[in-house]
Amino acid sequence: MLGQDFTPRVVYRDGERWLRVRTRGPVITRGVATATVRLTAEDAEGTVCRAKVHAATDYPTAGAFPAALDDGLVHAATG
């Protein structure tokens, strides 16, 4: 899923961890080399963090990778 299409409750992979989007900001195009989106996200332990994703980058999401359902965060987000 493209970063610009993220909505609250989407679970995506950021490096080696899965994060669930809590809130999403606007697409930022001014003053950056590539368009980005700021997110407030939550990890499997419930830790809330701020993240930036590239708007035009395709990120793995839990819906696209059923094997990701073994992760506790994905169960919490979809269950």
Side-chain angles (χ1 to χ4, degrees):
M1 172 180 281
L2 293 179
Q4 68 190 12
D5 297 332
F6 282 1
T7 58
R9 298 186 51 83
V10 166
V11 177
Y12 77 100
R13 190 161 186 89
D14 180 27
E16 295 191 18
R17 63 185 180 158
W18 289 96
L19 297 172
R20 179 175 51 184
V21 176
R22 293 181 77 185
T23 61
R24 175 195 179 275
V27 176
I28 300 167
T29 57
R30 288 184 134 168
V32 294
T34 59
T36 59
V37 179
R38 285 192 179 170
L39 306 170
T40 302
E42 180 179 4
D43 67 11
E45 287 79 38
T47 304
V48 176
C49 61
R50 296 282 291 169
K52 288 183 187 177
V53 295
H54 294 285
T57 299
D58 193 17
Y59 290 89
T61 58
F65 290 87
L69 294 176
D70 294 335
D71 189 304
L73 174 66
V74 177
H75 285 299
T78 59

